[in-house]
Amino acid sequence: MTSAGGTPAPGHEPPQLPRQLTTSGLVVHYITSVMGAGVLLIPALAWAEAGPLSLVAWGLLILYSYPFALIFAKLSVRHPTSKGVAQFVEAAFGARAGRIAAVFLLITLLAGNPVLGLAAGRYLLSAVDPSASNRAALLAGAAVIVFCVALNLWGIKVSTRAQMVVLGAVVLLLAVVICLALPKGDYTRLTPFAPHGWSALGTTLLICFFGFIGWENAAPVAEEVRDPERTFPQGILYAVSCVGLLYFAMAFTVSVALPASPAGDSGGSGQSDLTAFVRLLQVATGTGLRSSGFLVAGVLLLLTTNAWCLGTSRLVFALARDGLLPAKLSRLTARGRIPTRAVLALLPGYAVSVVVLLVTDSGETALIKASSATYLLIFLMAFLSAARLLPRGGTARLNLAVIAATVAMLPFFGVSLVIALAMLLLSVIAERCLRKRVTPPTETGVLT
């Protein structure tokens, strides 16, 4: 059993997840955690905001993403547990700070993760019914979330293998679309370079930043990575190179080849334009593959949803193992040692956001606006922890630069930052309540 502070009781070993994630599996998890909106929606949104100047924003964030991801990788090597960022904070600032970070992270993931599944469902439904209502799209998204939860019940090996096969096909298709569309582009669109002024760069950086949320999602699976000291450095190098190349190539292709969106065309839902990738596919192939474009986009977002379900379930498992959540959520199956109860716990957790959107007939963009700054605060927690945990050297200096860049972004998030601070205050209160009511778990760590 474990105590309320997470210390194993004498004579009892807490349940441990088996190390079975190889370098290739980690690369797939990294890429699917990040890549989604970054190649489907954000390039078009950034272009609309700043024109060719948006390419500078992409370049800066691609450069930023390597030290960003590298810091998370180095912290994961030093603290390879399923608690992820919360473990970093605990190691740097103590147990109570770690618990507050854990609650804040869990609330953020449960509130924000449904965005991915809901967007996937909206795309997939648009492939068969572009005029479907918002509530119908939300229900389709809920079905995607349930599917991803079910897939994770098979364990990380099965989930990662499925991700690998589908991701390979999607990346190949994206590369083909880019290669076919570029020769048909109008390169005069690259001038004037800053049609809306250089001040548009700040707003564009914030838009593009959403495409890089996800590098931290590898931290909760660190406990299941084989040979973390070798696997993480290799995995992060391959993943950042692949994502950075694909992002910039897509952004450049959008800049020169994406036709304007037809008036009022937003995928039939009143949400952000869903048709950017579809229109680019039509340019590349010269045919009206509207439904196919929606299908590809939906599958890519489904992969991202699946990766985030995996990472969040591991956080639930770790917090249950430490006593912050009910102990039964840390139990593993006898065969495969899979935390099935932690995975299933995602369903009621995600349902809160989905039900609120259904009742209010709102779209997933409302969740993005409300939760965006919370992710930035989570990143800042990790980077401040790294400042205390990492030895002096090049990575430590990079970390200071990343801290400065992250702090500089905060004021631009406006109302979302206020919501994030309110969620942090709620986490402080929730941690106090959970700490008072926690009792040492008495269940064994393995399900029969």
Side-chain angles (χ1 to χ4, degrees):
M1 67 181 68
T2 60
S3 66
T7 304
H12 179 83
E13 287 296 324
Q16 300 292 326
L17 296 168
R19 294 194 177 277
Q20 49 189 337
L21 200 60
T22 61
T23 300
S24 59
L26 183 62
V27 171
V28 169
H29 183 68
Y30 263 129
I31 294 175
T32 52
S33 294
V34 176
M35 198 171 67
V39 290
L40 298 176
L41 293 177
I42 295 178
L45 296 175
W47 169 261
E49 183 68 30
L53 182 61
S54 62
L55 297 175
V56 175
W58 283 108
L60 290 173
L61 284 172
I62 289 169
L63 292 175
Y64 169 79
S65 69
Y66 182 72
F68 179 108
L70 180 64
I71 290 163
F72 273 100
K74 286 189 174 292
L75 290 173
S76 297
V77 169
R78 286 174 164 265
H79 305 278
T81 79
S82 297
K83 288 173 66 175
V85 174
Q87 181 62 45
F88 310 155
V89 175
E90 180 178 331
F93 300 107
R96 183 162 187 257
R99 289 193 298 269
I100 292 172
V103 175
F104 182 62
L105 179 59
L106 183 61
I107 292 175
T108 298
L109 293 175
L110 292 179
N113 280 6
V115 167
L116 302 165
L118 296 176
R122 193 175 296 278
Y123 270 113
L124 294 172
L125 185 60
S126 294
V128 295
D129 185 7
S131 62
S133 68
N134 177 60
R135 284 197 170 102
L138 291 174
L139 290 174
V144 168
I145 293 172
V146 172
F147 172 80
C148 290
V149 169
L151 182 58
N152 275 279
L153 292 175
W154 289 88
I156 194 170
K157 289 184 69 174
V158 174
S159 177
T160 302
R161 285 173 182 169
Q163 295 267 94
M164 190 178 300
V165 172
V166 180
L167 177 65
V170 171
V171 169
L172 179 61
L173 176 61
L174 292 174
V176 169
V177 169
I178 290 170
C179 291
L180 291 177
L182 278 175
K184 301 178 181 179
D186 178 7
Y187 290 83
T188 63
R189 293 175 58 176
L190 296 177
T191 56
F193 191 70
H196 307 300
W198 285 85
S199 60
L201 182 61
T203 306
T204 309
L205 281 168
L206 294 180
I207 293 173
C208 296
F209 176 77
F210 294 121
F212 294 89
I213 292 175
W215 295 119
E216 75 287 356
N217 193 44
V221 302
E223 187 173 318
E224 297 169 88
V225 173
R226 293 180 184 173
D227 191 7
E229 293 186 1
R230 181 185 63 84
T231 302
F232 268 104
Q234 291 182 349
I236 196 62
L237 179 61
Y238 297 149
V240 169
S241 299
C242 178
V243 170
L245 178 62
L246 195 57
Y247 272 14
F248 194 83
M250 182 62 76
F252 186 81
T253 305
V254 164
S255 298
V256 299
L258 182 69
S261 175
D265 189 351
S266 59
S269 62
Q271 302 303 311
S272 298
D273 179 20
L274 296 178
T275 65
F277 175 72
V278 175
R279 285 180 280 127
L280 195 62
L281 180 62
Q282 291 171 340
V283 169
T285 62
T287 57
L289 299 176
R290 183 182 179 91
S291 294
S292 299
F294 282 134
L295 182 62
V296 171
V299 169
L300 180 56
L301 283 170
L302 186 149
L303 293 178
T304 309
T305 304
N306 190 65
W308 277 93
C309 284
L310 173 62
T312 306
S313 70
R314 274 29 180 192
L315 177 64
V316 171
F317 164 79
L319 299 189
R321 183 174 58 187
D322 279 4
L324 271 180
L325 294 177
K328 63 183 180 181
L329 297 180
S330 69
R331 299 184 71 187
L332 305 175
T333 58
R335 182 179 180 181
R337 300 188 64 78
I338 302 168
T340 53
R341 294 190 178 187
V343 174
L344 290 172
L346 299 180
L347 292 176
Y350 289 157
V352 175
S353 294
V354 177
V355 169
V356 169
L357 294 180
L358 279 169
V359 170
T360 60
D361 198 16
S362 303
E364 61 275 6
T365 51
L367 290 182
I368 295 175
K369 293 176 181 177
S371 64
S372 58
T374 61
Y375 289 99
L376 202 62
L377 287 185
I378 289 168
F379 302 156
L380 189 56
M381 289 177 183
F383 301 146
L384 291 173
S385 300
R388 300 193 66 173
L389 297 174
L390 296 180
R392 293 182 180 180
T395 305
R397 288 190 291 272
L398 278 176
N399 183 56
L400 293 177
V402 172
I403 290 174
T406 306
V407 171
M409 291 184 198
L410 284 172
F412 293 96
F413 281 76
V415 175
S416 181
L417 180 58
V418 175
I419 295 173
L421 293 174
M423 290 175 64
L424 182 58
L425 178 60
L426 175 63
S427 301
V428 173
I429 297 170
E431 184 274 336
R432 182 180 293 273
C433 296
L434 288 170
R435 181 159 42 94
K436 287 181 178 180
R437 66 178 293 275
V438 163
T439 56
T442 58
E443 298 189 53
T444 59
V446 179
L447 292 169
T448 58

